[in-house]
Amino acid sequence: MNRTPIFEWEVWNMKNLNLLKAKATKNDEFYTRYEDVEKELNCYSFKDQIIYCNCDDPRKSSFVRYFIHHIQEIKMLIATCYHRQTVFSQEPGYKLQVTAEDFKNIKTEEDIRYVIESNIIPLEGDGDFVSKECLSLLDMADVVITNPPFSLASIYLQTLMKYQKNFLFIGNKNMVKTEFVFQEFQENRLWFGYHDVKEFMKPDGTVQKFGNVTWFTNLEVRRKKHLVLTKNYHEGNYQKYHNFNAININRLKDIPLDYDGIMGVPITFLDYYNPEDFELLGISVGQHKEALGIQKIGQEWITAYFAQGGKGHYTANMRNLVLLEDGVASAVYVRILIRRRKKYK
């Protein structure tokens, strides 16, 4: 079933978007290590492509450095850098645009730095990826590759989808919990790349570690291997949700190989998702909850939960997935609802 993409950033007013960009500039300044860029990008072919890195300082970016080292393979490299403009500073963003011809006499790293500096030109505006200038460059590009600010990644993805671009970028896996991003996975227009990214460099030289950051792409990726499932379904070993007809799975290794009904699994399932094996029915957030048929929690669960010392803001009208067995009430973290493509024989 095809759905019309929801471009949330189009309904944002500019004041809100500018506030978010300011926050991103302050809190999202993480530089991708060259070894992580190289490990992922070596899995693809970019031959004769125009590559656009639209959130990258040409002087610092590992993406720019990678493509300069592979400049003979690609058609053109473009990079644009955002510069926050304030009442105290009106310095514009800037652009690098180079081809193999620019590097034909290069022998040393110093030569490379000289070519970069010689080809950096100021933009008219701040270099924001949704600015008119940068969208014109986006139109030129064959593939867009970068590490956008995490807090803007959902808006960034919607921009790429609107302009129908091929892309590979780094983002937080929790993006999947937004309605738009999950819809793209569900419709098989978006998937994870090959590797997670666990460490980034900060401007002060320190290392920032993450446990849930990966590559998002619509480039061709060899599908993950089929999940090797070893558990058989026994009713006593799996709890059903109190307010939805599905079984709860806490660990991927516990997915039963012989259960044909609906299962709620952690979002890490997408690391191994193969659309030949499973159908993504929905996710237990936002409008998906009611559309899936998840019922209201109800007063019975509320009474049991708080009687046993449970904490948190829960009301009987909420549609969160919950468990209630032998009088013990518990809430469940976000779940992806899946079902086998083919019935177990």
Side-chain angles (χ1 to χ4, degrees), residues 305-306 309-314:
Y305 181 74
F306 287 108
K311 297 181 180 180
H313 178 67
Y314 293 102

Side-chain angles (χ1 to χ4, degrees), residues 216-309:
F216 289 75
T217 189
N218 61 356
L219 299 174
E220 183 177 351
V221 169
R222 295 189 305 275
R223 290 296 184 180
K224 309 290 185 181
K225 294 181 179 180
H226 298 265
L227 272 173
V228 178
L229 305 177
T230 60
K231 299 289 182 69
N232 291 103
Y233 175 72
H234 298 289
E235 187 173 352
N237 295 337
Y238 293 90
Q239 282 186 274
K240 280 198 171 184
Y241 297 113
H242 174 62
N243 55 339
F244 186 63
N245 185 21
I247 60 173
N248 180 58
I249 308 292
N250 289 322
R251 300 177 300 178
L252 298 185
K253 68 179 184 179
D254 292 332
I255 297 174
L257 60 87
D258 54 352
Y259 187 76
D260 293 325
I262 300 175
M263 298 171 273
V265 297
I267 62 174
T268 51
F269 173 79
L270 291 177
D271 288 332
Y272 304 93
Y273 169 57
N274 189 319
E276 296 176 5
D277 296 335
F278 291 96
E279 178 183 4
L280 299 181
L281 301 176
I283 189 168
S284 63
V285 294
Q287 296 179 8
H288 280 270
K289 292 187 285 188
E290 188 167 1
L292 285 164
I294 297 175
Q295 301 299 305
K296 296 177 181 178
I297 289 174
Q299 192 57 49
E300 180 186 7
W301 185 89
I302 291 291
T303 300
Y305 181 74
F306 287 108
Q308 67 193 32

Side-chain angles (χ1 to χ4, degrees), residues 60-306:
K60 302 176 182 178
S61 169
S62 294
F63 295 91
V64 170
R65 181 180 166 201
Y66 175 89
F67 282 111
I68 286 176
H69 287 167
H70 296 79
I71 197 71
Q72 302 296 330
E73 302 168 20
I74 65 174
K75 185 175 181 179
M76 180 185 294
L77 170 64
I78 306 170
T80 49
C81 180
Y82 171 74
H83 190 280
R84 184 187 174 201
Q85 296 185 343
T86 69
V87 294
F88 304 105
S89 173
Q90 293 299 315
E91 182 181 343
Y94 45 90
K95 176 183 75 170
L96 174 72
Q97 186 168 323
V98 290
T99 66
E101 183 68 18
D102 295 298
F103 292 88
K104 62 182 180 180
N105 297 318
I106 294 304
K107 296 180 180 179
T108 67
E109 286 292 323
E110 185 175 346
D111 292 337
I112 291 175
R113 288 192 292 270
Y114 176 78
V115 171
I116 291 174
E117 286 295 335
S118 300
N119 285 277
I120 288 177
I121 60 173
L123 297 166
E124 293 181 8
D126 59 9
D128 182 2
F129 62 79
V130 294
S131 67
K132 185 176 180 180
E133 284 178 292
C134 291
L135 291 178
S136 294
L137 295 170
L138 184 65
D139 271 335
M140 293 174 53
D142 295 308
V143 188
V144 186
I145 303 175
T146 192
N147 172 19
F150 290 165
S151 59
L152 297 177
S154 183
I155 298 170
Y156 181 80
L157 173 61
Q158 291 174 69
T159 306
L160 299 180
M161 290 296 192
K162 180 180 180 181
Y163 283 82
Q164 300 180 353
K165 289 298 168 181
N166 289 326
F167 58 82
L168 176 65
F169 72 88
I170 295 172
N172 193 301
K173 291 181 182 179
N174 284 326
M175 285 173 59
V176 172
K177 293 189 289 185
T178 64
E179 184 177 358
F180 168 76
V181 177
F182 183 80
Q183 177 181 308
E184 297 303 304
F185 271 91
Q186 196 174 25
E187 299 295 344
N188 206 28
R189 294 189 291 257
L190 174 67
W191 42 87
F192 291 148
Y194 290 98
H195 306 96
D196 288 342
V197 185
K198 299 186 180 298
E199 294 184 354
F200 294 83
M201 298 302 298
K202 298 180 71 174
D204 63 4
T206 60
V207 174
Q208 177 71 50
K209 295 186 177 183
F210 290 92
N212 57 351
V213 174
T214 195
W215 297 85
F216 289 75
T217 189
N218 61 356
L219 299 174
E220 183 177 351
V221 169
R222 295 189 305 275
R223 290 296 184 180
K224 309 290 185 181
K225 294 181 179 180
H226 298 265
L227 272 173
V228 178
L229 305 177
T230 60
K231 299 289 182 69
N232 291 103
Y233 175 72
H234 298 289
E235 187 173 352
N237 295 337
Y238 293 90
Q239 282 186 274
K240 280 198 171 184
Y241 297 113
H242 174 62
N243 55 339
F244 186 63
N245 185 21
I247 60 173
N248 180 58
I249 308 292
N250 289 322
R251 300 177 300 178
L252 298 185
K253 68 179 184 179
D254 292 332
I255 297 174
L257 60 87
D258 54 352
Y259 187 76
D260 293 325
I262 300 175
M263 298 171 273
V265 297
I267 62 174
T268 51
F269 173 79
L270 291 177
D271 288 332
Y272 304 93
Y273 169 57
N274 189 319
E276 296 176 5
D277 296 335
F278 291 96
E279 178 183 4
L280 299 181
L281 301 176
I283 189 168
S284 63
V285 294
Q287 296 179 8
H288 280 270
K289 292 187 285 188
E290 188 167 1
L292 285 164
I294 297 175
Q295 301 299 305
K296 296 177 181 178
I297 289 174
Q299 192 57 49
E300 180 186 7
W301 185 89
I302 291 291
T303 300
Y305 181 74
F306 287 108

